[in-house]
Short mmCIF file of all heavy atoms in Angstrom, two decimals:
data_model
loop_
_atom_site.label_atom_id
_atom_site.label_comp_id
_atom_site.label_asym_id
_atom_site.label_seq_id
_atom_site.Cartn_x
_atom_site.Cartn_y
_atom_site.Cartn_z
N VAL G 1273 2.74 5.04 -12.44
CA VAL G 1273 3.20 5.38 -13.79
C VAL G 1273 2.00 5.44 -14.73
O VAL G 1273 1.25 4.47 -14.86
CB VAL G 1273 4.22 4.32 -14.30
CG1 VAL G 1273 4.69 4.68 -15.70
CG2 VAL G 1273 5.41 4.21 -13.35
N ILE G 1274 1.82 6.61 -15.34
CA ILE G 1274 0.78 6.74 -16.38
C ILE G 1274 1.54 7.04 -17.67
O ILE G 1274 1.97 8.17 -17.90
CB ILE G 1274 -0.21 7.88 -16.06
CG1 ILE G 1274 -0.83 7.70 -14.66
CG2 ILE G 1274 -1.30 7.96 -17.12
CD1 ILE G 1274 -1.70 8.88 -14.20
N SER G 1275 1.73 6.03 -18.49
CA SER G 1275 2.50 6.24 -19.73
C SER G 1275 1.70 7.07 -20.73
O SER G 1275 2.26 7.87 -21.47
CB SER G 1275 2.86 4.89 -20.36
OG SER G 1275 3.71 4.19 -19.50
N GLY G 1276 0.39 6.79 -20.78
CA GLY G 1276 -0.49 7.62 -21.61
C GLY G 1276 -0.46 7.27 -23.09
O GLY G 1276 -0.36 6.11 -23.48
N ASP G 1277 -0.53 8.31 -23.91
CA ASP G 1277 -0.79 8.14 -25.34
C ASP G 1277 0.44 8.48 -26.20
O ASP G 1277 1.39 9.11 -25.73
CB ASP G 1277 -1.92 9.08 -25.76
CG ASP G 1277 -3.18 8.84 -24.95
OD1 ASP G 1277 -3.49 7.66 -24.71
OD2 ASP G 1277 -3.84 9.83 -24.58
N GLY G 1278 0.30 8.15 -27.49
CA GLY G 1278 1.32 8.56 -28.48
C GLY G 1278 2.71 8.13 -28.07
O GLY G 1278 2.97 6.94 -27.80
N VAL G 1279 3.59 9.10 -27.97
CA VAL G 1279 4.99 8.79 -27.61
C VAL G 1279 5.17 8.57 -26.11
O VAL G 1279 6.26 8.22 -25.66
CB VAL G 1279 5.95 9.92 -28.07
CG1 VAL G 1279 5.92 10.07 -29.58
CG2 VAL G 1279 5.64 11.24 -27.37
N GLY G 1280 4.10 8.78 -25.33
CA GLY G 1280 4.19 8.65 -23.87
C GLY G 1280 4.86 7.34 -23.42
O GLY G 1280 5.84 7.37 -22.68
N PRO G 1281 4.34 6.19 -23.89
CA PRO G 1281 4.94 4.93 -23.44
C PRO G 1281 6.42 4.80 -23.81
O PRO G 1281 7.20 4.23 -23.06
CB PRO G 1281 4.10 3.87 -24.18
CG PRO G 1281 2.78 4.54 -24.41
CD PRO G 1281 3.11 5.99 -24.66
N GLU G 1282 6.80 5.36 -24.97
CA GLU G 1282 8.22 5.24 -25.38
C GLU G 1282 9.13 6.04 -24.46
O GLU G 1282 10.21 5.57 -24.07
CB GLU G 1282 8.39 5.75 -26.82
CG GLU G 1282 7.66 4.90 -27.84
CD GLU G 1282 7.59 5.59 -29.21
OE1 GLU G 1282 8.65 5.83 -29.82
OE2 GLU G 1282 6.46 5.89 -29.66
N VAL G 1283 8.73 7.24 -24.11
CA VAL G 1283 9.61 8.06 -23.27
C VAL G 1283 9.59 7.59 -21.81
O VAL G 1283 10.63 7.61 -21.14
CB VAL G 1283 9.29 9.58 -23.38
CG1 VAL G 1283 9.59 10.09 -24.78
CG2 VAL G 1283 7.85 9.92 -22.98
N VAL G 1284 8.44 7.11 -21.36
CA VAL G 1284 8.37 6.61 -19.98
C VAL G 1284 9.24 5.35 -19.83
O VAL G 1284 9.96 5.19 -18.83
CB VAL G 1284 6.91 6.34 -19.57
CG1 VAL G 1284 6.83 5.47 -18.32
CG2 VAL G 1284 6.19 7.66 -19.34
N ARG G 1285 9.19 4.49 -20.82
CA ARG G 1285 10.04 3.28 -20.79
C ARG G 1285 11.51 3.66 -20.59
O ARG G 1285 12.23 3.09 -19.79
CB ARG G 1285 9.85 2.54 -22.13
CG ARG G 1285 10.63 1.25 -22.28
CD ARG G 1285 10.60 0.80 -23.74
NE ARG G 1285 11.35 1.73 -24.59
CZ ARG G 1285 11.07 1.99 -25.88
NH1 ARG G 1285 10.04 1.42 -26.45
NH2 ARG G 1285 11.81 2.85 -26.57
N GLU G 1286 11.94 4.70 -21.29
CA GLU G 1286 13.34 5.13 -21.19
C GLU G 1286 13.61 5.78 -19.83
O GLU G 1286 14.66 5.56 -19.23
CB GLU G 1286 13.68 6.09 -22.33
CG GLU G 1286 13.49 5.50 -23.72
CD GLU G 1286 14.29 4.23 -23.94
OE1 GLU G 1286 15.50 4.23 -23.64
OE2 GLU G 1286 13.70 3.21 -24.39
N GLY G 1287 12.66 6.56 -19.35
CA GLY G 1287 12.82 7.18 -18.03
C GLY G 1287 12.97 6.13 -16.95
O GLY G 1287 13.79 6.26 -16.03
N LEU G 1288 12.21 5.05 -17.08
CA LEU G 1288 12.27 3.98 -16.07
C LEU G 1288 13.60 3.22 -16.14
O LEU G 1288 14.08 2.72 -15.13
CB LEU G 1288 11.08 3.02 -16.23
CG LEU G 1288 9.72 3.63 -15.85
CD1 LEU G 1288 8.59 2.63 -16.12
CD2 LEU G 1288 9.69 4.07 -14.38
N ARG G 1289 14.20 3.16 -17.32
CA ARG G 1289 15.54 2.52 -17.41
C ARG G 1289 16.53 3.29 -16.56
O ARG G 1289 17.37 2.72 -15.87
CB ARG G 1289 16.03 2.54 -18.87
CG ARG G 1289 15.42 1.49 -19.76
CD ARG G 1289 15.94 1.64 -21.19
NE ARG G 1289 17.37 1.35 -21.33
CZ ARG G 1289 18.12 1.75 -22.35
NH1 ARG G 1289 17.59 2.44 -23.34
NH2 ARG G 1289 19.40 1.45 -22.40
N VAL G 1290 16.41 4.61 -16.61
CA VAL G 1290 17.35 5.44 -15.83
C VAL G 1290 17.03 5.34 -14.35
O VAL G 1290 17.94 5.23 -13.51
CB VAL G 1290 17.32 6.90 -16.33
CG1 VAL G 1290 18.20 7.79 -15.46
CG2 VAL G 1290 17.75 6.97 -17.79
N LEU G 1291 15.74 5.34 -14.01
CA LEU G 1291 15.35 5.20 -12.60
C LEU G 1291 15.90 3.88 -12.05
O LEU G 1291 16.44 3.82 -10.93
CB LEU G 1291 13.82 5.24 -12.48
CG LEU G 1291 13.25 5.10 -11.07
CD1 LEU G 1291 13.74 6.23 -10.16
CD2 LEU G 1291 11.72 5.08 -11.09
N ASP G 1292 15.78 2.84 -12.85
CA ASP G 1292 16.26 1.53 -12.42
C ASP G 1292 17.78 1.57 -12.17
O ASP G 1292 18.25 1.10 -11.13
CB ASP G 1292 15.92 0.51 -13.52
CG ASP G 1292 16.05 -0.89 -13.01
OD1 ASP G 1292 15.37 -1.20 -12.01
OD2 ASP G 1292 16.86 -1.66 -13.56
N ALA G 1293 18.50 2.16 -13.11
CA ALA G 1293 19.98 2.20 -12.98
C ALA G 1293 20.40 3.00 -11.76
O ALA G 1293 21.26 2.56 -10.98
CB ALA G 1293 20.58 2.79 -14.26
N VAL G 1294 19.80 4.14 -11.56
CA VAL G 1294 20.25 5.00 -10.45
C VAL G 1294 19.82 4.40 -9.11
O VAL G 1294 20.52 4.58 -8.09
CB VAL G 1294 19.79 6.46 -10.65
CG1 VAL G 1294 18.32 6.66 -10.28
CG2 VAL G 1294 20.66 7.42 -9.85
N SER G 1295 18.73 3.66 -9.10
CA SER G 1295 18.31 3.03 -7.83
C SER G 1295 19.35 2.01 -7.39
O SER G 1295 19.63 1.86 -6.20
CB SER G 1295 16.93 2.38 -7.98
OG SER G 1295 17.01 1.24 -8.80
N ARG G 1296 19.95 1.33 -8.36
CA ARG G 1296 20.99 0.35 -8.02
C ARG G 1296 22.24 1.06 -7.53
O ARG G 1296 22.89 0.63 -6.57
CB ARG G 1296 21.35 -0.50 -9.25
CG ARG G 1296 20.27 -1.49 -9.62
CD ARG G 1296 20.53 -2.05 -11.02
NE ARG G 1296 19.29 -2.52 -11.60
CZ ARG G 1296 18.80 -3.74 -11.40
NH1 ARG G 1296 19.44 -4.60 -10.66
NH2 ARG G 1296 17.66 -4.09 -11.96
N ILE G 1297 22.58 2.16 -8.18
CA ILE G 1297 23.80 2.89 -7.78
C ILE G 1297 23.64 3.47 -6.37
O ILE G 1297 24.52 3.37 -5.53
CB ILE G 1297 24.11 4.02 -8.80
CG1 ILE G 1297 24.46 3.43 -10.17
CG2 ILE G 1297 25.26 4.90 -8.29
CD1 ILE G 1297 24.54 4.45 -11.30
N ASP G 1298 22.47 4.07 -6.12
CA ASP G 1298 22.30 4.77 -4.84
C ASP G 1298 21.63 3.93 -3.76
O ASP G 1298 21.42 4.41 -2.65
CB ASP G 1298 21.53 6.09 -5.06
CG ASP G 1298 22.47 7.17 -5.56
OD1 ASP G 1298 23.45 7.45 -4.86
OD2 ASP G 1298 22.24 7.69 -6.66
N GLY G 1299 21.31 2.67 -4.08
CA GLY G 1299 20.87 1.75 -3.04
C GLY G 1299 19.48 1.99 -2.51
O GLY G 1299 19.24 1.87 -1.31
N PHE G 1300 18.55 2.35 -3.37
CA PHE G 1300 17.15 2.37 -2.96
C PHE G 1300 16.36 1.54 -3.96
O PHE G 1300 16.87 1.16 -5.02
CB PHE G 1300 16.60 3.81 -2.89
CG PHE G 1300 16.58 4.55 -4.19
CD1 PHE G 1300 15.50 4.47 -5.04
CD2 PHE G 1300 17.67 5.34 -4.58
CE1 PHE G 1300 15.48 5.15 -6.26
CE2 PHE G 1300 17.66 6.02 -5.78
CZ PHE G 1300 16.56 5.92 -6.62
N SER G 1301 15.15 1.20 -3.62
CA SER G 1301 14.35 0.46 -4.58
C SER G 1301 13.02 1.19 -4.82
O SER G 1301 12.69 2.13 -4.08
CB SER G 1301 14.11 -0.98 -4.11
OG SER G 1301 13.36 -0.96 -2.93
N TYR G 1302 12.34 0.77 -5.82
CA TYR G 1302 11.06 1.40 -6.13
C TYR G 1302 10.10 0.35 -6.68
O TYR G 1302 10.53 -0.68 -7.23
CB TYR G 1302 11.24 2.55 -7.13
CG TYR G 1302 11.61 2.08 -8.51
CD1 TYR G 1302 10.65 1.88 -9.47
CD2 TYR G 1302 12.94 1.82 -8.83
CE1 TYR G 1302 11.00 1.41 -10.73
CE2 TYR G 1302 13.30 1.36 -10.08
CZ TYR G 1302 12.33 1.16 -11.03
OH TYR G 1302 12.66 0.69 -12.26
N LYS G 1303 8.84 0.62 -6.48
CA LYS G 1303 7.81 -0.26 -7.04
C LYS G 1303 6.99 0.59 -8.00
O LYS G 1303 6.39 1.58 -7.57
CB LYS G 1303 6.94 -0.79 -5.91
CG LYS G 1303 5.84 -1.73 -6.35
CD LYS G 1303 5.19 -2.37 -5.12
CE LYS G 1303 4.02 -3.25 -5.50
NZ LYS G 1303 2.82 -2.52 -5.87
N ALA G 1304 7.04 0.24 -9.27
CA ALA G 1304 6.27 1.00 -10.26
C ALA G 1304 4.92 0.31 -10.48
O ALA G 1304 4.88 -0.88 -10.79
CB ALA G 1304 7.04 1.09 -11.57
N THR G 1305 3.85 1.06 -10.30
CA THR G 1305 2.51 0.52 -10.58
C THR G 1305 1.98 1.26 -11.80
O THR G 1305 1.87 2.49 -11.80
CB THR G 1305 1.57 0.74 -9.38
OG1 THR G 1305 2.20 0.19 -8.22
CG2 THR G 1305 0.23 0.07 -9.60
N HIS G 1306 1.70 0.50 -12.84
CA HIS G 1306 1.28 1.11 -14.11
C HIS G 1306 -0.23 1.26 -14.19
O HIS G 1306 -0.97 0.32 -13.89
CB HIS G 1306 1.79 0.27 -15.29
CG HIS G 1306 3.29 0.31 -15.43
ND1 HIS G 1306 3.94 1.13 -16.31
CD2 HIS G 1306 4.26 -0.33 -14.73
CE1 HIS G 1306 5.25 0.97 -16.18
NE2 HIS G 1306 5.47 0.08 -15.23
N TYR G 1307 -0.65 2.44 -14.59
CA TYR G 1307 -2.08 2.72 -14.77
C TYR G 1307 -2.33 2.95 -16.26
O TYR G 1307 -1.55 3.66 -16.91
CB TYR G 1307 -2.49 3.94 -13.93
CG TYR G 1307 -2.46 3.62 -12.45
CD1 TYR G 1307 -1.29 3.78 -11.72
CD2 TYR G 1307 -3.58 3.10 -11.81
CE1 TYR G 1307 -1.24 3.44 -10.37
CE2 TYR G 1307 -3.55 2.77 -10.46
CZ TYR G 1307 -2.37 2.95 -9.75
OH TYR G 1307 -2.34 2.61 -8.43
N PRO G 1308 -3.40 2.38 -16.81
CA PRO G 1308 -3.59 2.37 -18.27
C PRO G 1308 -4.28 3.61 -18.82
O PRO G 1308 -4.62 3.64 -20.00
CB PRO G 1308 -4.47 1.14 -18.47
CG PRO G 1308 -5.31 1.10 -17.23
CD PRO G 1308 -4.46 1.64 -16.11
N TYR G 1309 -4.50 4.65 -18.00
CA TYR G 1309 -5.34 5.76 -18.43
C TYR G 1309 -4.79 6.43 -19.70
O TYR G 1309 -3.61 6.68 -19.83
CB TYR G 1309 -5.49 6.80 -17.31
CG TYR G 1309 -5.84 6.16 -15.98
CD1 TYR G 1309 -5.27 6.61 -14.81
CD2 TYR G 1309 -6.72 5.08 -15.94
CE1 TYR G 1309 -5.58 5.99 -13.59
CE2 TYR G 1309 -7.04 4.46 -14.74
CZ TYR G 1309 -6.45 4.91 -13.57
OH TYR G 1309 -6.75 4.31 -12.39
N GLY G 1310 -5.72 6.73 -20.58
CA GLY G 1310 -5.33 7.33 -21.85
C GLY G 1310 -6.34 6.92 -22.92
O GLY G 1310 -7.41 6.36 -22.61
N ALA G 1311 -5.99 7.18 -24.17
CA ALA G 1311 -6.95 7.01 -25.26
C ALA G 1311 -7.40 5.56 -25.44
O ALA G 1311 -8.60 5.28 -25.57
CB ALA G 1311 -6.33 7.52 -26.56
N GLU G 1312 -6.45 4.63 -25.46
CA GLU G 1312 -6.79 3.23 -25.71
C GLU G 1312 -7.74 2.71 -24.63
O GLU G 1312 -8.75 2.06 -24.93
CB GLU G 1312 -5.48 2.42 -25.72
CG GLU G 1312 -5.32 1.40 -26.81
CD GLU G 1312 -6.02 1.66 -28.12
OE1 GLU G 1312 -5.56 2.52 -28.89
OE2 GLU G 1312 -7.04 0.98 -28.40
N HIS G 1313 -7.42 3.04 -23.40
CA HIS G 1313 -8.25 2.63 -22.26
C HIS G 1313 -9.65 3.21 -22.38
O HIS G 1313 -10.66 2.54 -22.17
CB HIS G 1313 -7.56 3.09 -20.96
CG HIS G 1313 -8.30 2.73 -19.71
ND1 HIS G 1313 -9.05 3.63 -18.99
CD2 HIS G 1313 -8.41 1.56 -19.05
CE1 HIS G 1313 -9.59 3.02 -17.95
NE2 HIS G 1313 -9.21 1.77 -17.95
N TYR G 1314 -9.70 4.47 -22.78
CA TYR G 1314 -10.99 5.15 -22.92
C TYR G 1314 -11.82 4.53 -24.06
O TYR G 1314 -13.02 4.27 -23.91
CB TYR G 1314 -10.76 6.64 -23.18
CG TYR G 1314 -12.01 7.43 -23.44
CD1 TYR G 1314 -13.03 7.50 -22.50
CD2 TYR G 1314 -12.18 8.11 -24.65
CE1 TYR G 1314 -14.19 8.21 -22.75
CE2 TYR G 1314 -13.32 8.83 -24.91
CZ TYR G 1314 -14.33 8.88 -23.96
OH TYR G 1314 -15.48 9.59 -24.20
N LEU G 1315 -11.15 4.24 -25.18
CA LEU G 1315 -11.87 3.67 -26.31
C LEU G 1315 -12.41 2.28 -25.97
O LEU G 1315 -13.48 1.88 -26.41
CB LEU G 1315 -10.96 3.61 -27.55
CG LEU G 1315 -10.65 4.98 -28.19
CD1 LEU G 1315 -9.59 4.84 -29.27
CD2 LEU G 1315 -11.92 5.63 -28.75
N GLN G 1316 -11.65 1.53 -25.19
CA GLN G 1316 -12.07 0.17 -24.86
C GLN G 1316 -13.11 0.11 -23.74
O GLN G 1316 -13.97 -0.77 -23.74
CB GLN G 1316 -10.85 -0.66 -24.44
CG GLN G 1316 -10.05 -1.15 -25.64
CD GLN G 1316 -8.76 -1.82 -25.25
OE1 GLN G 1316 -8.63 -2.33 -24.14
NE2 GLN G 1316 -7.79 -1.80 -26.14
N THR G 1317 -13.02 1.06 -22.78
CA THR G 1317 -13.89 0.94 -21.59
C THR G 1317 -14.90 2.08 -21.45
O THR G 1317 -15.83 1.97 -20.66
CB THR G 1317 -13.02 0.95 -20.30
OG1 THR G 1317 -12.40 2.25 -20.21
CG2 THR G 1317 -11.96 -0.13 -20.32
N GLY G 1318 -14.66 3.17 -22.18
CA GLY G 1318 -15.53 4.35 -22.03
C GLY G 1318 -15.22 5.14 -20.77
O GLY G 1318 -15.91 6.10 -20.45
N VAL G 1319 -14.16 4.74 -20.06
CA VAL G 1319 -13.80 5.39 -18.80
C VAL G 1319 -12.49 6.15 -18.98
O VAL G 1319 -11.52 5.62 -19.52
CB VAL G 1319 -13.62 4.32 -17.68
CG1 VAL G 1319 -13.13 4.97 -16.38
CG2 VAL G 1319 -14.93 3.58 -17.44
N MET G 1320 -12.48 7.40 -18.52
CA MET G 1320 -11.22 8.17 -18.62
C MET G 1320 -10.37 7.93 -17.38
O MET G 1320 -9.22 7.55 -17.48
CB MET G 1320 -11.54 9.65 -18.81
CG MET G 1320 -12.14 9.90 -20.19
SD MET G 1320 -12.36 11.62 -20.58
CE MET G 1320 -13.96 11.91 -19.87
N MET G 1321 -10.96 8.18 -16.22
CA MET G 1321 -10.29 7.84 -14.95
C MET G 1321 -11.38 7.28 -14.04
O MET G 1321 -12.36 7.98 -13.77
CB MET G 1321 -9.69 9.08 -14.29
CG MET G 1321 -8.46 9.61 -14.97
SD MET G 1321 -7.04 9.58 -13.87
CE MET G 1321 -7.45 10.87 -12.75
N PRO G 1322 -11.23 6.06 -13.60
CA PRO G 1322 -12.32 5.47 -12.80
C PRO G 1322 -12.48 6.14 -11.44
O PRO G 1322 -11.55 6.81 -10.96
CB PRO G 1322 -11.87 4.02 -12.62
CG PRO G 1322 -10.40 4.02 -12.85
CD PRO G 1322 -10.10 5.16 -13.76
N ASP G 1323 -13.63 5.94 -10.82
CA ASP G 1323 -13.84 6.44 -9.45
C ASP G 1323 -12.75 5.87 -8.56
O ASP G 1323 -12.39 4.71 -8.69
CB ASP G 1323 -15.21 5.97 -8.92
CG ASP G 1323 -16.35 6.64 -9.65
OD1 ASP G 1323 -16.10 7.65 -10.35
OD2 ASP G 1323 -17.48 6.13 -9.55
N GLY G 1324 -12.25 6.67 -7.70
CA GLY G 1324 -11.24 6.17 -6.75
C GLY G 1324 -9.82 6.26 -7.28
O GLY G 1324 -8.87 6.02 -6.53
N ALA G 1325 -9.67 6.60 -8.58
CA ALA G 1325 -8.31 6.62 -9.16
C ALA G 1325 -7.44 7.68 -8.47
O ALA G 1325 -6.26 7.43 -8.17
CB ALA G 1325 -8.39 6.90 -10.66
N LEU G 1326 -8.02 8.85 -8.23
CA LEU G 1326 -7.22 9.92 -7.60
C LEU G 1326 -6.74 9.51 -6.22
O LEU G 1326 -5.57 9.71 -5.87
CB LEU G 1326 -8.03 11.21 -7.50
CG LEU G 1326 -8.20 12.00 -8.79
CD1 LEU G 1326 -9.11 13.19 -8.54
CD2 LEU G 1326 -6.85 12.47 -9.33
N GLN G 1327 -7.65 8.93 -5.46
CA GLN G 1327 -7.28 8.50 -4.10
C GLN G 1327 -6.16 7.46 -4.18
O GLN G 1327 -5.23 7.48 -3.37
CB GLN G 1327 -8.49 7.89 -3.37
CG GLN G 1327 -9.57 8.88 -2.98
CD GLN G 1327 -10.55 9.19 -4.11
OE1 GLN G 1327 -10.26 8.99 -5.29
NE2 GLN G 1327 -11.72 9.68 -3.76
N GLU G 1328 -6.24 6.59 -5.17
CA GLU G 1328 -5.21 5.55 -5.31
C GLU G 1328 -3.87 6.17 -5.71
O GLU G 1328 -2.83 5.85 -5.15
CB GLU G 1328 -5.67 4.51 -6.33
CG GLU G 1328 -4.88 3.23 -6.22
CD GLU G 1328 -5.44 2.13 -7.09
OE1 GLU G 1328 -6.67 2.01 -7.22
OE2 GLU G 1328 -4.61 1.37 -7.66
N LEU G 1329 -3.92 7.09 -6.67
CA LEU G 1329 -2.67 7.76 -7.10
C LEU G 1329 -2.03 8.49 -5.93
O LEU G 1329 -0.81 8.51 -5.76
CB LEU G 1329 -2.96 8.74 -8.24
CG LEU G 1329 -3.36 8.13 -9.59
CD1 LEU G 1329 -3.80 9.21 -10.56
CD2 LEU G 1329 -2.21 7.32 -10.19
N ALA G 1330 -2.89 9.09 -5.10
CA ALA G 1330 -2.38 9.90 -3.98
C ALA G 1330 -1.65 9.05 -2.94
O ALA G 1330 -0.88 9.59 -2.15
CB ALA G 1330 -3.55 10.63 -3.31
N GLN G 1331 -1.87 7.75 -2.97
CA GLN G 1331 -1.20 6.86 -1.99
C GLN G 1331 0.27 6.65 -2.35
O GLN G 1331 1.03 6.10 -1.56
CB GLN G 1331 -1.87 5.48 -1.95
CG GLN G 1331 -3.34 5.49 -1.55
CD GLN G 1331 -3.57 6.21 -0.24
OE1 GLN G 1331 -2.88 5.95 0.74
NE2 GLN G 1331 -4.51 7.14 -0.23
N HIS G 1332 0.68 7.04 -3.55
CA HIS G 1332 2.06 6.80 -3.98
C HIS G 1332 2.98 7.92 -3.52
O HIS G 1332 2.53 8.98 -3.09
CB HIS G 1332 2.11 6.68 -5.51
CG HIS G 1332 1.38 5.48 -6.03
ND1 HIS G 1332 0.01 5.43 -6.11
CD2 HIS G 1332 1.84 4.29 -6.47
CE1 HIS G 1332 -0.36 4.24 -6.58
NE2 HIS G 1332 0.75 3.53 -6.82
N ASP G 1333 4.29 7.68 -3.64
CA ASP G 1333 5.24 8.74 -3.32
C ASP G 1333 5.27 9.77 -4.45
O ASP G 1333 5.50 10.95 -4.21
CB ASP G 1333 6.64 8.14 -3.11
CG ASP G 1333 6.66 7.27 -1.86
OD1 ASP G 1333 6.45 7.81 -0.77
OD2 ASP G 1333 6.86 6.04 -1.99
N ALA G 1334 5.08 9.30 -5.67
CA ALA G 1334 5.08 10.22 -6.82
C ALA G 1334 4.43 9.53 -8.01
O ALA G 1334 4.24 8.31 -8.01
CB ALA G 1334 6.51 10.63 -7.17
N ILE G 1335 4.10 10.36 -8.99
CA ILE G 1335 3.47 9.86 -10.22
C ILE G 1335 4.37 10.28 -11.38
O ILE G 1335 4.80 11.44 -11.44
CB ILE G 1335 2.07 10.49 -10.40
CG1 ILE G 1335 1.19 10.21 -9.17
CG2 ILE G 1335 1.40 10.00 -11.68
CD1 ILE G 1335 0.04 11.21 -9.00
N LEU G 1336 4.64 9.35 -12.27
CA LEU G 1336 5.39 9.68 -13.49
C LEU G 1336 4.41 9.61 -14.66
O LEU G 1336 3.78 8.57 -14.88
CB LEU G 1336 6.54 8.69 -13.68
CG LEU G 1336 7.43 8.93 -14.90
CD1 LEU G 1336 8.17 10.27 -14.80
CD2 LEU G 1336 8.45 7.79 -15.07
N LEU G 1337 4.29 10.72 -15.38
CA LEU G 1337 3.34 10.79 -16.50
C LEU G 1337 4.10 10.94 -17.81
O LEU G 1337 5.06 11.71 -17.89
CB LEU G 1337 2.41 12.00 -16.30
CG LEU G 1337 1.47 12.35 -17.45
CD1 LEU G 1337 0.34 11.33 -17.57
CD2 LEU G 1337 0.87 13.74 -17.27
N GLY G 1338 3.66 10.20 -18.83
CA GLY G 1338 4.24 10.37 -20.17
C GLY G 1338 3.55 11.54 -20.85
O GLY G 1338 3.95 12.69 -20.71
N ALA G 1339 2.50 11.26 -21.60
CA ALA G 1339 1.74 12.34 -22.25
C ALA G 1339 0.35 11.82 -22.55
O ALA G 1339 0.15 10.62 -22.73
CB ALA G 1339 2.44 12.77 -23.53
N ILE G 1340 -0.58 12.74 -22.63
CA ILE G 1340 -1.98 12.38 -22.90
C ILE G 1340 -2.45 13.18 -24.12
O ILE G 1340 -2.12 14.36 -24.26
CB ILE G 1340 -2.88 12.73 -21.69
CG1 ILE G 1340 -2.43 11.99 -20.41
CG2 ILE G 1340 -4.35 12.44 -21.99
CD1 ILE G 1340 -2.63 10.49 -20.40
N GLY G 1341 -3.24 12.54 -24.96
CA GLY G 1341 -3.81 13.23 -26.12
C GLY G 1341 -3.79 12.32 -27.33
O GLY G 1341 -2.78 11.67 -27.61
N ASP G 1342 -4.94 12.26 -28.03
CA ASP G 1342 -5.04 11.34 -29.16
C ASP G 1342 -5.99 11.96 -30.17
O ASP G 1342 -7.11 12.38 -29.80
CB ASP G 1342 -5.57 9.99 -28.66
CG ASP G 1342 -5.57 8.94 -29.74
OD1 ASP G 1342 -6.25 9.12 -30.78
OD2 ASP G 1342 -4.88 7.92 -29.56
N PRO G 1343 -5.59 12.02 -31.44
CA PRO G 1343 -6.44 12.68 -32.44
C PRO G 1343 -7.77 11.98 -32.69
O PRO G 1343 -8.68 12.58 -33.26
CB PRO G 1343 -5.57 12.65 -33.72
CG PRO G 1343 -4.49 11.66 -33.46
CD PRO G 1343 -4.32 11.56 -31.99
N ARG G 1344 -7.92 10.73 -32.22
CA ARG G 1344 -9.19 10.01 -32.43
C ARG G 1344 -10.27 10.51 -31.47
O ARG G 1344 -11.44 10.17 -31.62
CB ARG G 1344 -8.99 8.50 -32.20
CG ARG G 1344 -8.13 7.84 -33.25
CD ARG G 1344 -7.82 6.41 -32.85
NE ARG G 1344 -6.99 6.34 -31.64
CZ ARG G 1344 -6.64 5.21 -31.03
NH1 ARG G 1344 -7.07 4.06 -31.50
NH2 ARG G 1344 -5.88 5.22 -29.96
N ILE G 1345 -9.84 11.30 -30.48
CA ILE G 1345 -10.77 11.68 -29.41
C ILE G 1345 -10.94 13.20 -29.39
O ILE G 1345 -9.99 13.94 -29.71
CB ILE G 1345 -10.24 11.12 -28.07
CG1 ILE G 1345 -10.41 9.60 -28.13
CG2 ILE G 1345 -10.97 11.69 -26.87
CD1 ILE G 1345 -9.59 8.84 -27.21
N GLU G 1346 -12.12 13.64 -29.01
CA GLU G 1346 -12.45 15.08 -28.96
C GLU G 1346 -11.30 15.88 -28.34
O GLU G 1346 -10.74 15.48 -27.31
CB GLU G 1346 -13.72 15.24 -28.09
CG GLU G 1346 -14.17 16.66 -27.93
CD GLU G 1346 -15.22 16.78 -26.80
OE1 GLU G 1346 -16.09 15.90 -26.68
OE2 GLU G 1346 -15.12 17.76 -26.05
#
Side-chain angles (χ1 to χ4, degrees):
V1273 180
I1274 306 173
S1275 296
D1277 303 320
V1279 298
E1282 295 167 63
V1283 294
V1284 164
R1285 181 192 67 211
E1286 300 304 310
L1288 291 177
R1289 282 178 66 199
V1290 175
L1291 179 61
D1292 195 57
V1294 78
S1295 71
R1296 288 166 204 273
I1297 295 170
D1298 279 302
F1300 63 88
S1301 64
Y1302 69 94
K1303 180 171 177 285
T1305 306
H1306 292 262
Y1307 291 87
Y1309 312 139
E1312 224 29 75
H1313 180 257
Y1314 176 60
L1315 288 172
Q1316 281 173 24
T1317 65
V1319 175
M1320 291 187 274
M1321 287 241 288
D1323 291 345
L1326 283 176
Q1327 290 84 339
E1328 197 172 322
L1329 291 172
Q1331 300 306 311
H1332 294 76
D1333 293 297
I1335 304 157
L1336 181 64
L1337 172 72
I1340 301 291
D1342 186 299
R1344 292 172 294 176
I1345 290 160
E1346 180 194 320

